[in-house]
Amino acid sequence: MTRRLISTGSPMEKSYGYSCAVVQDPWVFVAGTTGYDYAAMTMPDDVAAQARQCWRTIEAALGEAGSALQDVVRATYYVSDAAYAVPVLEVCGSVMAEIRPAASIVVVAALLRPEMKVEIEVTALKRSA
C-alpha cells in the first residue's frame, strides 16, 4: 500500500512536519486547512472568505490525490469564536449541501495565528479509476 504526500507549497509543512494531505489508498486525509491563499500567501479578514478559501485549497488537494469534494465522508470545522460558527456553516452548507458528510464544528480558544479564524479538515474516499 503506497503512501503519498501532497503539499500546498507552504513552507510551514516542511518546517512543522506535516502534509496538506496524505493519500493512503483508499483514503485521502486532508489536514486542518486555513484560509491562506498559498499562491499569494495572503489571508482574507472575513471569516466566510476564509472558509471559501479553505474549500478551494481542500478541493485542489483532493483533486491532486485522485479524489473530489463529492468523495468527502467526514469533515471537522474549527472556529476560534462562536460568532464565526454560522458564517462558516453557511459556506460549508453551500459547498457540502448535496454531499452531506458526517461533520462536527468545534469552537476552540485560538488557532495557530491570530488572523486564522477557521480551519477545516476532511477525510475522503479515493475512487478507483
Side-chain angles (χ1 to χ4, degrees):
M1 201 176 283
T2 305
R3 176 180 166 137
R4 186 161 58 103
L5 308 179
I6 295 175
S7 175
T8 62
S10 168
M12 292 188 342
E13 290 176 29
K14 180 109 173 145
S15 298
Y16 298 165
Y18 74 95
S19 295
C20 171
V22 175
V23 182
Q24 185 77 47
D25 285 339
W27 300 102
V28 181
F29 303 93
V30 181
T33 303
T34 63
Y36 274 111
D37 174 342
Y38 291 102
M41 285 309 287
T42 59
M43 166 103 61
D45 185 56
D46 177 68
V47 70
Q50 285 189 25
R52 284 189 291 276
Q53 182 58 48
C54 291
W55 284 114
R56 284 190 287 274
T57 302
I58 290 167
E59 185 172 30
L62 289 171
E64 189 174 334
S67 191
L69 288 175
Q70 294 80 357
D71 302 318
V72 172
V73 296
R74 180 99 174 120
T76 306
Y77 314 125
Y78 301 93
V79 293
S80 60
D81 187 313
Y84 301 152
V86 169
V88 166
L89 288 171
E90 288 173 347
V91 171
C92 294
S94 70
V95 173
M96 296 274 106
E98 299 302 316
I99 302 158
R100 296 181 54 205
S104 301
I105 187 162
V106 181
V107 180
V108 297
L111 293 169
L112 181 62
R113 297 201 171 143
E115 66 271 19
M116 296 174 175
K117 297 176 180 174
V118 59
E119 189 168 315
I120 300 172
E121 67 181 6
V122 303
T123 303
L125 183 62
K126 184 177 173 200
R127 296 197 179 195
S128 338

